[in-house]
Amino acid sequence: MAATTGVAAAAVFGAAARAVATNRGLLNDPFAEPLVRAAGVDHFVRVIDDDRFAADDADGPRFLDLCAAHTRFVDEFAAEAGRAGLRQVVILASGLDTRPYRLWWPSGTTVFEIERPEVLDFKDEALRGLGATLTASRRAVGAGLHQDWPAALRRVGFDATAPTVWIAERVLIGFLTPAVQDRVLHGVTAMSAAGSRFAADHMPTWTPLQLEAERSFVDGWRRHGLDVDLASLTHPGQYHYVPEYLATRGWEAAQRSLAELLRFMGLPARRPDGTPFVPEYLTATRG
């Protein structure tokens, strides 16, 4: 995996957030730190070694804490779905996520991971080297979300008649163009039987003001040694508001506040100072 590219670095960013949260006792992902080190992005290795984030208020939550808080919230979301009897899980753009290895899953659960082939290959090789063992049946789907991932998903055994748990972390935050994001949400809906569940973070839109704030934020990371243009990953344009978009297509969507996620982690329930943009969060159930 070319970890110097923006997309790959974004995957490492998520793993670094999980690694730091694990070291702080807020999350349990024993594979996150080894994956970051294997990816070889020096800046994120230093983030782990130094526990150094963006310059947020030391008394409040920090930006990577927010990423970890959503991860832990979604972990519990998936666990609750499992307790309710759902046995099919799809992780969209899974990056370096390790849920099929680090979480407990009920017997008979299948976890599908949709991601570009080079990212899946890198993660598979690294986890084999770590001796990681699966806790669910895992099926890798080597496809980008701009491709025909629904067809690829069906080819590896996805059952559209069974209720599904869909997870989209750091996917609907401007990384897709508005048109591709709409197609992804349409695909999720078309393949979701009644009782399916969906969890995601999302950005309502990317205005010029937000893009400028994002550039300033990324410049701060660059000054600390991250030589990757993360800002180039986001797309300006008018996005459909995800909760409303889902609600008009048969989903019952519920907004989840940042304070709720932070309380779930035992962190101060307020927005961190100095963070220029924070996604919104939602869960949804298919009627």
Side-chain angles (χ1 to χ4, degrees):
M1 182 178 70
T4 55
T5 65
V7 174
V12 182
F13 183 99
R18 294 190 296 275
V20 171
T22 295
N23 291 341
R24 298 178 64 207
L26 301 173
L27 193 69
N28 181 26
D29 186 349
F31 308 111
E33 182 171 339
L35 284 171
V36 172
R37 295 186 184 279
V41 181
D42 291 342
H43 176 76
F44 291 127
V45 172
R46 291 197 302 274
V47 165
I48 295 171
D49 288 341
D50 301 340
D51 192 8
R52 183 179 65 216
F53 300 153
D56 296 336
D57 183 351
D59 295 326
R62 297 172 293 183
F63 185 73
L64 288 187
D65 288 342
L66 306 187
C67 300
H70 188 245
T71 294
R72 183 164 160 183
F73 179 83
V74 173
D75 286 352
E76 179 55 33
F77 171 85
E80 175 58 32
R83 290 191 289 269
L86 279 72
R87 297 292 183 268
Q88 187 166 249
V89 180
V90 178
I91 304 176
L92 301 167
S94 61
L96 299 184
D97 181 89
T98 59
R99 286 189 175 97
Y101 299 88
R102 67 178 178 83
L103 295 184
W104 173 86
W105 298 96
S107 177
T109 300
T110 299
V111 180
F112 298 86
E113 290 193 90
I114 302 175
E115 184 52 270
R116 294 173 304 125
E118 61 269 27
V119 177
L120 290 171
D121 290 346
F122 167 81
K123 182 167 64 174
D124 290 351
E125 182 178 356
L127 289 173
R128 278 195 301 270
L130 295 170
T133 57
L134 289 165
T135 56
S137 174
R138 173 182 176 264
R139 299 184 189 179
V141 182
L145 294 180
H146 63 289
Q147 298 173 314
D148 191 0
W149 59 267
L153 194 56
R154 288 189 292 267
R155 282 196 296 271
V156 295
F158 178 85
D159 181 5
T161 67
T164 301
V165 181
W166 299 89
I167 296 171
E169 284 186 291
R170 288 175 292 279
V171 174
L172 310 179
I173 58 172
F175 284 175
L176 307 174
T177 65
V180 171
Q181 179 166 303
D182 286 352
R183 288 201 298 271
V184 167
L185 293 174
H186 174 79
V188 167
T189 299
M191 301 180 77
S192 291
S196 293
R197 304 185 185 191
F198 181 72
D201 49 351
H202 66 101
M203 291 290 285
T205 189
W206 280 99
T207 65
L209 183 62
Q210 284 179 305
L211 288 169
E212 180 58 35
E214 181 204 26
R215 281 190 290 270
S216 297
F217 177 73
V218 172
D219 284 346
W221 282 85
R222 186 179 291 113
R223 286 193 298 272
H224 286 90
L226 179 60
D227 190 22
V228 177
D229 185 12
L230 293 177
S232 67
L233 295 179
T234 54
H235 302 275
Q238 292 296 317
Y239 290 80
H240 286 105
Y241 188 53
V242 176
E244 293 178 357
Y245 190 86
L246 292 175
T248 61
R249 286 158 176 80
W251 294 86
E252 183 178 344
Q255 285 287 82
R256 302 297 179 178
S257 70
L258 173 61
E260 181 180 0
L261 268 63
L262 292 172
R263 282 195 299 266
F264 193 76
M265 287 278 281
L267 295 169
R270 63 182 177 85
R271 183 190 182 105
D273 296 338
T275 302
F277 54 91
V278 173
E280 295 182 9
Y281 309 92
L282 69 89
T283 57
T285 304
R286 177 82 159 138

